[in-house]
Amino acid sequence: MTIANPASRDGQPRGPYKRGIERRRQVVVTATDVFGEFGFRGGTLQQVADRVGGTPAAILKLFGSKERLLIAVLDHWGSVTGEIVARGTEERAFLDGFVELMNYHVNHKGLLQLYTTMAAEASTPQHPAHEFMTNRYRRTLESMRNGFRAASEGGHFRRLSEKQIAHEAEYLLAILDGLEIQFILNPAFDLETSFAAYVDTVYERLAV
Amino acid sequence: MTIANPASRDGQPRGPYKRGIERRRQVVVTATDVFGEFGFRGGTLQQVADRVGGTPAAILKLFGSKERLLIAVLDHWGSVTGEIVARGTEERAFLDGFVELMNYHVNHKGLLQLYTTMAAEASTPQHPAHEFMTNRYRRTLESMRNGFRAASEGGHFRRLSEKQIAHEAEYLLAILDGLEIQFILNPAFDLETSFAAYVDTVYERLAV
């Protein structure tokens, strides 16, 4: 019998534990592709298992349920998109990172569709992703408020009250979600140009 | 055997045909409540039948499928909300109608949740509401463009180019959808105040 070894002395996971983490990561990345392509209901554990090598039962054992795998997928997607947004922070104000993000979305439409559907569906407290989504929205709004506050204090934007900051964050998140819905319903819609033009109106409106 | 009589000489439907229309209307209004309360998947034809008096089979006979009933519900909801928005057109610019609409949404949260989920979900071409939703978004954007164009030509807003009009319509629809998602995920979110403040920024931004 092998005993899992959570962390060795240098703090790096090793052995079966490390392989477990790596295996989870593989499954999540693959499931991201499958759900992104076929949707949550359309995509099956069998498809994920076929691509990653293994059985649906083994995947269920790793994640507990298809719903929990979905949450891991959304979490993974949240990290990827979060990194893209963060890359934008270094130049100009933080809004440019979101322009980058739209480019990513256009190239990962299936996931966007999955995420947007999930956001609306998960509003019922019984939904498996309810807590994940409400937390994600809360944290996203908070981080957007921080962005507007920093841009205001840093002199990129004019002085904004906390109420104005809260509203700007709400509008930014709403515009992102709303334009994304328009894009998934109409692939001809130019999401990147439309959002970039919105960011211009924000810069104009909040100019010092 | 009774022959349906689509219209009498004065153009008003009568007899079995009229009763058929009235029956459909009853079922749609009731299904709107049921889906609004339990969602599309959670709400059952049995619940609709229990409330309206009748059987699931009789409802299926009227609409063909649960999906078609859903589309009739969304259509009904679209008319109700369309009338609210139109009432706003008479005073100030057309944007005030949408402020009214937010008040309606806050009091019909289940339907809002249903609609928002459906909008995202229906982006897959196989979805039963795909054509309904893509058409609705196309028509809504068109009608919003007409609103901005009229407000611009009527001197309520400054002169806008067609491209600016298109963007303003995209942002308005996106803000509505996006803020609605924030509201259904967080019932404490003040949808009406947030949206009304957005409308103020539009008036300011587009002032003559």
Side-chain angles (χ1 to χ4, degrees):
Chain A
M1 187 183 157
T2 318
I3 304 289
N5 175 17
S8 62
R9 259 173 303 181
D10 60 3
Q12 292 302 307
R14 281 205 188 138
Y17 183 71
K18 185 175 179 181
R19 281 201 297 278
I21 290 179
E22 177 53 26
R23 181 65 180 167
R24 274 182 71 95
R25 208 194 59 83
Q26 275 179 353
V27 173
V28 168
V29 169
T30 307
T32 303
D33 288 343
V34 170
F35 291 159
E37 194 170 336
F38 302 101
F40 176 61
R41 264 172 294 278
T44 64
L45 290 180
Q46 185 65 59
Q47 283 169 304
V48 178
D50 286 348
R51 290 192 186 189
V52 81
T55 64
I59 292 173
L60 272 183
K61 212 174 156 190
L62 271 178
F63 290 90
S65 66
K66 192 182 172 188
E67 283 75 17
R68 282 180 177 279
L69 174 58
L70 171 67
I71 290 169
V73 162
L74 291 174
D75 219 13
H76 169 69
W77 189 73
S79 310
V80 172
T81 55
E83 277 166 30
I84 294 171
V85 170
R87 277 208 296 276
T89 317
E90 292 168 32
E91 308 172 19
R92 289 223 306 172
F94 74 107
L95 289 170
D96 294 345
F98 292 99
V99 179
E100 289 295 308
L101 181 62
M102 293 304 101
N103 178 271
Y104 176 84
H105 283 332
V106 168
N107 295 309
H108 297 80
K109 200 180 157 187
L111 268 174
L112 187 61
Q113 203 257 343
L114 177 68
Y115 176 77
T116 314
T117 305
M118 204 50 57
E121 216 181 70
S123 60
T124 46
Q126 299 78 24
H127 194 280
H130 180 70
E131 214 189 315
F132 172 85
M133 273 297 171
T134 51
N135 283 338
R136 188 177 154 88
Y137 269 72
R138 199 174 33 71
R139 282 200 313 266
T140 303
L141 281 168
E142 195 184 323
S143 124
M144 286 175 172
R145 282 194 300 270
N146 291 341
F148 279 105
R149 194 179 297 110
S152 165
E153 287 170 358
H156 297 288
F157 293 154
R158 63 182 164 82
R159 202 76 197 171
L160 298 171
S161 71
E162 274 304 308
K163 197 179 163 187
Q164 285 172 317
I165 287 170
H167 279 322
E168 289 301 333
E170 290 157 12
Y171 303 156
L172 176 60
L173 182 53
I175 281 281
L176 287 164
D177 282 344
L179 293 182
E180 284 163 15
I181 292 174
Q182 289 174 42
F183 169 64
I184 58 175
L185 278 169
N186 172 20
F189 172 59
D190 189 344
L191 175 64
E192 294 175 73
T193 301
S194 181
F195 179 71
Y198 175 77
V199 169
D200 287 343
T201 72
V202 175
Y203 279 129
E204 239 170 84
R205 194 151 50 78
L206 304 184
V208 183
Chain B
M1 186 186 163
T2 318
I3 304 291
N5 174 16
S8 63
R9 260 173 303 181
D10 62 2
Q12 293 302 309
R14 281 204 189 140
Y17 183 70
K18 185 175 179 181
R19 282 200 296 278
I21 291 178
E22 177 52 26
R23 182 64 180 169
R24 274 182 70 97
R25 206 193 61 82
Q26 275 179 354
V27 173
V28 168
V29 169
T30 307
T32 303
D33 288 344
V34 170
F35 292 159
E37 195 170 335
F38 302 100
F40 176 61
R41 265 172 295 276
T44 63
L45 290 180
Q46 185 66 57
Q47 283 169 304
V48 178
D50 286 348
R51 290 193 188 190
V52 81
T55 63
I59 291 173
L60 272 183
K61 213 176 154 189
L62 271 178
F63 290 90
S65 66
K66 192 182 172 190
E67 283 76 16
R68 282 179 178 280
L69 174 58
L70 170 67
I71 290 170
V73 162
L74 292 174
D75 217 15
H76 170 69
W77 188 73
S79 310
V80 172
T81 54
E83 277 167 31
I84 294 171
V85 170
R87 278 209 296 275
T89 315
E90 293 167 33
E91 308 171 19
R92 290 224 303 173
F94 74 108
L95 289 171
D96 294 345
F98 292 98
V99 179
E100 289 295 308
L101 182 61
M102 293 304 101
N103 179 271
Y104 176 85
H105 282 334
V106 168
N107 295 309
H108 296 79
K109 200 179 158 189
L111 269 174
L112 188 61
Q113 202 258 344
L114 177 68
Y115 176 77
T116 314
T117 305
M118 205 51 56
E121 216 182 71
S123 60
T124 47
Q126 299 78 24
H127 194 281
H130 180 70
E131 215 190 313
F132 172 86
M133 274 297 173
T134 51
N135 283 338
R136 189 178 153 87
Y137 268 72
R138 198 174 34 74
R139 282 201 313 266
T140 303
L141 282 168
E142 196 185 320
S143 123
M144 286 174 170
R145 281 195 299 271
N146 290 341
F148 280 106
R149 194 178 298 111
S152 166
E153 287 172 358
H156 298 286
F157 292 155
R158 64 181 162 82
R159 202 75 196 172
L160 298 171
S161 71
E162 275 304 306
K163 198 178 162 188
Q164 286 172 317
I165 287 169
H167 279 322
E168 289 300 335
E170 289 156 13
Y171 304 156
L172 176 60
L173 182 53
I175 281 281
L176 287 165
D177 282 345
L179 293 182
E180 285 163 15
I181 292 173
Q182 289 173 43
F183 169 65
I184 58 176
L185 278 169
N186 172 20
F189 172 58
D190 189 344
L191 175 63
E192 294 176 74
T193 301
S194 181
F195 178 71
Y198 175 78
V199 169
D200 287 344
T201 72
V202 175
Y203 279 129
E204 238 171 83
R205 193 151 50 78
L206 305 184
V208 183

